[in-house]
Amino acid sequence: MGKLKSGWTKGTIIVVIVIGFLFAGIFVSNYFQAKAASGPSNHQKNNPINRAIAKGPTPETIIRDTADARLEIERMKKLQDQAKIWRNKQDHLPDTTTKDNTAEQPSTNETGTTQPPAKESDAAEQGQTRTEQQGNNKTVYLTFDDGPAPFSGDIISLLEKYHFKATFFMLDGNIRSYPDAVRLMVSKGETVGLHSVTHDVRKFYASADSVIAELTQNRNTLKEISGVDSYIMRTPYGSVPKMTAEYRKAVDDNGYIMWDWNIDSRDWDYKDARYVNSVINQLEKMTQHDGPIVILLHERKETLAHLPALFDYLSKNGYEGKALDSSMTPYQFKVR
């Protein structure tokens, strides 16, 4: 009887152990299934945190911003092209602007008439003056804006070498910065003129008073430095469209002589040797032009670098380079 009880006890223990293992397996299995089931929920809760950490411009935003910038550039270029076409039409040049950039006026340049139109058309009364200005289409008037500069002396040396004269429309601050250059221009017989104080469209063209105030300061500075009291001037970016009738009258009443140009070298745009071909192409289209041929250039290092090529062409083709003077009827952009 004792052996039976002891054997039953061992068997019972074995059964209990087996059952225990079964329950443990079931419990562990259920636990991991429940853990797996709760995983997606926890992941979803963590998503906002992950997105917050990674927050930044979306690809769509980047694409949109890039497209906006590109559209703005295209819009500005379109406006500039339209302005160039309009100015060429005002100058009565052949309508080749859309085909050839060399006939264009700069996008920022404008036209106006300080002198009455009659001065442009009264050939009978001023026939002799016209002949002198035109120079049988072999006279050009080289004009340099925005100076003087540290290399103005180099430009004058080239002018001397080719026996040309030029006109320099200078800024007030630059006159004070490079007084020796201004005196050299005067000593060599170049014409010195005015080109404003600020060269800022918003400030210069703010009113008729601001136009005259800047020109007067510019003139007084030039006179102080050089001894020359010059009334020859060119407005910033040319006279159209900012020079209103009121501004023109003020300029005229104060004795200023406003000059624009009819050949734009585009040295301000090209900044390399292309401006030379630009001048040549435009010049070849003006064989029948009646009146002075005025070439716009700037005192820039890039312009200076290629001046010998331009001067070579002019010299070899029989052109004479002269400076503007106050006795001439100024060339101005036409206004309707």
Side-chain angles (χ1 to χ4, degrees), residues 171-221:
L171 298 171
D172 190 88
N174 288 347
I175 292 173
R176 292 200 177 278
S177 295
Y178 306 103
D180 291 341
V182 180
R183 298 186 187 105
L184 179 63
M185 293 171 187
V186 173
S187 69
K188 295 299 183 180
E190 317 297 344
T191 292
V192 289
L194 317 173
H195 197 43
S196 82
V197 176
T198 64
H199 205 277
D200 186 315
V201 172
R202 292 170 298 178
K203 294 179 180 178
F204 183 85
Y205 296 108
S207 67
D209 289 341
S210 64
V211 171
I212 299 304
E214 288 210 20
L215 291 175
T216 300
Q217 179 180 330
N218 202 180
R219 179 170 61 85
N220 289 339
T221 298

Side-chain angles (χ1 to χ4, degrees), residues 118-187:
K119 292 187 179 181
E120 289 286 337
S121 60
D122 193 355
E125 182 177 345
Q126 302 190 24
Q128 184 176 358
T129 303
R130 285 293 179 211
T131 301
E132 292 174 356
Q133 291 182 5
Q134 184 175 343
N136 295 321
N137 292 323
K138 286 297 181 178
T139 298
V140 294
Y141 294 88
L142 301 163
T143 64
F144 292 86
D145 284 11
D146 299 349
F151 45 83
S152 295
D154 296 327
I155 296 176
I156 295 170
S157 294
L158 282 173
L159 291 169
E160 291 287 297
K161 176 181 177 180
Y162 287 88
H163 306 290
F164 291 162
K165 295 299 178 187
T167 301
F168 293 84
F169 293 106
M170 296 180 287
L171 298 171
D172 190 88
N174 288 347
I175 292 173
R176 292 200 177 278
S177 295
Y178 306 103
D180 291 341
V182 180
R183 298 186 187 105
L184 179 63
M185 293 171 187
V186 173
S187 69

